[in-house]
Every structure is written in structure tokens, then in C-alpha cells.
């Protein structure tokens, strides 16, 4: 019995030494550091847009139009053979603004058209999910929108009066999209978006094919850009 215990003790000591030696070798090995996660998006134009620190120089309107025409509003839960794209939504909000604020200049209208432009890289998240994610999403969205504004000669941050107008028009468009396309009852839409200031007549609410949405978004951008140039550049007042 004594001999067995000694042999067992010897094995235990050897095992402990091996474990200690292996642990010491492992601790002495050089530490490997993980490469930082990629935070940029490659565009079809060849640009690489840093989502965390976006540069206006990496923003191209063709990339924006291409992306927004392929991002579905309402997570794609709309009637019809085509998704209702963010590009078409932008033009709907523009049409609402023409009704409720017909005196806007081309620079203000361009700001309206681009109000959801960051979604060409971060997608269109429904409002309940944005609320869950919180301030991080809003911060990324705000930096992207500031870079987009600067790329096209607009203030990085819009005057408060114009921002409120865009928000109001956005809610009007959302109400009509919800009731015409996304299956909301009128009372439900009123609770979510408020009662709309203008009706749905003449608003572009029939979903377009992707190529049509992209083409019309670009055409509106180019028309506003020409009007801005004819007036000598942007003219958005301060709040």
C-alpha cells in the first residue's frame, strides 16, 4: 500500500510540474491582438465610407440613389409587387413639403430630399427598433447626415425651423404610407403619426420598380442642384 501511495504521489507531482510548466510557457507567449472590426462600407463608385467617421469626400449621390432605391420602407411589409423604397419615400416627403411649405427654396428642398440619406448605408430601421438601440444609432445617423449635407453644400446641422418642418412632412408621409400600403387602420395611424395636414391626393404612393425610384430620385436631386447653382449656391437661413 505504501508503495502504491508513493507511486501515485510521484505521478501527481509530475503532472503538477507539467501543468505549471505549460502555464508558464503560455504566459510567456507574445499576446496576439485582434484587428479592429471593419467600420467602412465599399460603394459601387469605389468609395470607402467610414461609418464611424464619415468624410464628405467619400459621399457620392449615385451611391445614395442606388442604395436608397433598394432599401424597403416598413421592413418590406407593404402591398404590391414592388417594395416601397426609401428613395420613393424621400420624394413623397418632398411632395408633402411642396403642399405645406410652397415657399421653400431649392437648398431647403434638397435638405428635404436627403433627410433619410444615411439609410443608404445603415438601412431603414423601424422606429420601435431604433428606440431599442438608443443613442448609438442616432449618433451614427447624425454623423452620416452631417457629412452628406456638407458634401452637397448644406449646413452640417439644419436650422431648427427647417428640421421641424421636415419632421412634420415625414410624419404626414408616414401616415399615408401606413394606411395606403402597410395595413394600418386610420385610428391606429393617427395614434402613431398624428392626423395629417394634407391628404394623399397627388402623393407618389404606388410603389415603383427599383430602377424607376433610383432614376426619379437622381432626377430630382439634379434639378434642385441646378436651381441652387442658378441662385449662386445654398441659401439656408439660420434659426
Amino acid at each position: 500500500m505504501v508503495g502504491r501511495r508513493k507511486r501515485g504521489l510521484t505521478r501527481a507531482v509530475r503532472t503538477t510540474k507539467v501543468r505549471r510548466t505549460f502555464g508558464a510557457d503560455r504566459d510567456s507567449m507574445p499576446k496576439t491582438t485582434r484587428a479592429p472590426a471593419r467600420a467602412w462600407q465599399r460603394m459601387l463608385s469605389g468609395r470607402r465610407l467610414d461609418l464611424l467617421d464619415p468624410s464628405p469626400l467619400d459621399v457620392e449621390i449615385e451611391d445614395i440613389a442606388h442604395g436608397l432605391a433598394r432599401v424597403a420602407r416598413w421592413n418590406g411589409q407593404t402591398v404590391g409587387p414592388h417594395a416601397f423604397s426609401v428613395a420613393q419615400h424621400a420624394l413623397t416627403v418632398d411632395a408633402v413639403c411642396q403642399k405645406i411649405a410652397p415657399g421653400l427654396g431649392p437648398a431647403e428642398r434638397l435638405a428635404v430630399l436627403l433627410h433619410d440619406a444615411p439609410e443608404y448605408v445603415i438601412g431603414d430601421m423601424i422606429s420601435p427598433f431604433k428606440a431599442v438601440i438608443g443613442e448609438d444609432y442616432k449618433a451614427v445617423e447624425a454623423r452620416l447626415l452631417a457629412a452628406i449635407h456638407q458634401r452637397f453644400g448644406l449646413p452640417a446641422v439644419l436650422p431648427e425651423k427647417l428640421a421641424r418642418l421636415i419632421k412634420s412632412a415625414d410624419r404626414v408621409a408616414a401616415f399615408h404610407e401606413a394606411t395606403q400600403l402597410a395595413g394600418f387602420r386610420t385610428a391606429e395611424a393617427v395614434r402613431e403619426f398624428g392626423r395629417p395636414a394634407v391628404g394623399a391626393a397627388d402623393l407618389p404612393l404606388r410603389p415603383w420598380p427599383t430602377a424607376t425610384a433610383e432614376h426619379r430620385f437622381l432626377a430630382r436631386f439634379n434639378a434642385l442642384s441646378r436651381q441652387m447653382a442658378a441662385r449662386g449656391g445654398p441659401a439656408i437661413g439660420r434659426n
Side-chain angles (χ1 to χ4, degrees):
M1 292 295 291
V2 174
R4 289 180 183 175
R5 282 198 295 269
K6 286 184 176 179
R7 285 197 295 273
L9 181 60
T10 303
R11 289 196 192 99
V13 171
R14 287 175 179 169
T15 303
T16 302
K17 287 182 178 179
V18 170
R19 286 176 180 165
R20 285 177 179 167
T21 302
F22 176 74
D25 291 345
R26 183 177 57 188
D27 292 341
S28 66
M29 292 174 65
K31 303 292 184 183
T32 57
T33 56
R34 276 188 188 174
R38 178 170 68 88
W40 51 265
Q41 167 74 48
R42 182 180 176 84
M43 305 297 170
L44 288 179
S45 65
R47 299 287 189 184
R48 291 189 180 187
L49 183 66
D50 188 327
L51 304 185
L52 302 181
D53 186 22
S55 167
L57 298 176
D58 291 324
V59 174
E60 299 292 349
I61 192 59
E62 291 80 10
D63 292 330
I64 293 175
H66 184 88
L68 295 185
R70 287 158 177 79
V71 176
R73 290 272 291 170
W74 308 98
N75 275 348
Q77 298 299 307
T78 50
V79 298
H82 305 290
F84 190 80
S85 69
V86 176
Q88 187 170 352
H89 165 74
L91 290 163
T92 303
V93 176
D94 181 40
V96 171
C97 274
Q98 291 182 53
K99 292 187 173 191
I100 64 177
L104 288 183
E108 288 93 350
R109 294 212 178 282
L110 183 60
V112 173
L113 184 70
L114 297 174
H115 78 280
D116 276 339
E119 293 177 9
Y120 87 109
V121 283
I122 58 177
D124 179 39
M125 292 188 182
I126 58 175
S127 297
F129 195 52
K130 288 181 182 179
V132 171
I133 294 176
E135 297 301 319
D136 288 344
Y137 177 89
K138 293 179 181 179
V140 171
E141 185 180 42
R143 285 195 292 268
L144 285 166
L145 187 57
I148 291 165
H149 282 169
Q150 290 173 312
R151 171 65 176 86
F152 301 116
L154 301 175
V157 178
L158 298 178
E160 184 62 29
K161 183 178 179 180
L162 178 58
R164 285 198 305 268
L165 173 66
I166 293 172
K167 185 65 176 178
S168 297
D170 190 39
R171 291 176 68 83
V172 170
F175 175 92
H176 291 305
E177 292 169 20
T179 53
Q180 302 282 327
L181 302 170
F184 280 57
R185 296 186 299 274
T186 299
E188 184 181 14
V190 169
R191 285 196 302 271
E192 292 291 330
F193 309 109
R195 195 168 295 280
V198 298
D202 302 323
L203 297 182
L205 292 170
R206 184 186 296 273
W208 300 327
T210 298
T212 301
E214 181 176 353
H215 172 76
R216 290 179 179 176
F217 182 91
L218 270 177
R220 181 61 173 158
F221 173 87
N222 289 331
L224 291 171
S225 296
R226 287 193 296 270
Q227 292 173 28
M228 284 172 58
R231 292 190 176 194
I236 293 182
R238 300 184 183 276
N239 56 338

